[in-house]
Amino acid sequence: MINYFDIKDKSIFLGWIIGLLFLISLIWVLSQNAQAHNLLRTVNNIFITSGDSRRLVSQARQVNAKAGPLGYWYNMNSTDKMFVFGVFQDGILVPLGAIVSANGRVNEVIPLSAHAAQTFGNISQSILKVYITRIESAALVSFAETQGRNR
């Protein structure tokens, strides 16, 4: 026999969970620009601290029909772009930045924190190659679309 109050309690609980997930998703989507701006400032501070003359200038809009790697694209103070992403190493998120040239090739991958610098040598080269391949394919699509819009 089904108890009416059990169904009612379970549906109220399910409604709360769905509502919280919706609220979290909404906050995540609406805060993307603020997150990207804070990441830009943080990476520039890392460049300043390390004595590097490269700087991130602005967030580059990524317009892809297909899903690309998770991260943010930035324009640099040169013709290069930088893709900031994270890799999990031993259960810890390691922030990395890939410097991508105008032809869509990754020139170098740099660690973006003190912990990332320590663990960068322990990251498997095959994992880095997978990320580099995905970043290069996303860059080629993005750069082709950007050049097509500028004509």
Side-chain angles (χ1 to χ4, degrees):
M1 183 157 85
I2 299 176
N3 189 351
Y4 171 74
F5 293 107
D6 287 340
I7 294 173
K8 180 182 172 187
D9 290 343
K10 288 180 183 179
S11 63
I12 290 173
F13 181 67
L14 183 64
W16 270 99
I17 290 175
I18 291 171
L20 286 174
L21 288 175
F22 177 75
L23 184 64
I24 290 168
S25 300
L26 186 64
I27 290 171
W28 176 259
V29 168
L30 295 177
S31 67
Q32 288 295 308
N33 287 334
Q35 290 176 20
H37 180 70
N38 286 336
L39 188 59
L40 179 139
R41 288 187 7 220
T42 302
V43 172
N44 280 338
N45 286 338
I46 291 168
F47 283 150
I48 291 168
T49 304
S50 66
D52 197 335
S53 64
R54 296 179 286 196
R55 299 289 182 270
L56 301 182
V57 178
S58 64
Q59 182 181 6
R61 293 289 170 206
Q62 192 70 6
V63 183
N64 284 13
K66 67 175 193 166
L70 293 177
Y72 292 101
W73 284 97
Y74 293 99
N75 296 318
M76 299 186 75
N77 57 351
S78 63
T79 59
D80 296 341
K81 290 189 179 194
M82 182 177 210
F83 183 70
V84 179
F85 64 103
V87 174
F88 277 100
Q89 177 67 27
D90 298 329
I92 298 173
L93 185 66
V94 178
L96 301 173
I99 308 294
V100 182
S101 65
N103 64 0
R105 297 286 172 217
V106 173
N107 291 338
E108 67 177 309
V109 177
I110 56 174
L112 295 176
S113 71
H115 181 263
Q118 292 173 349
T119 61
F120 187 67
N122 296 336
I123 298 174
S124 169
Q125 289 300 314
S126 61
I127 291 175
L128 282 177
K129 285 181 184 177
V130 168
Y131 277 94
I132 288 171
T133 303
R134 291 183 70 203
I135 292 167
E136 286 177 345
S137 66
L140 288 175
V141 170
S142 174
F143 291 174
E145 289 177 2
T146 303
Q147 289 174 355
R149 279 187 276 149
N150 290 339
R151 290 182 186 175

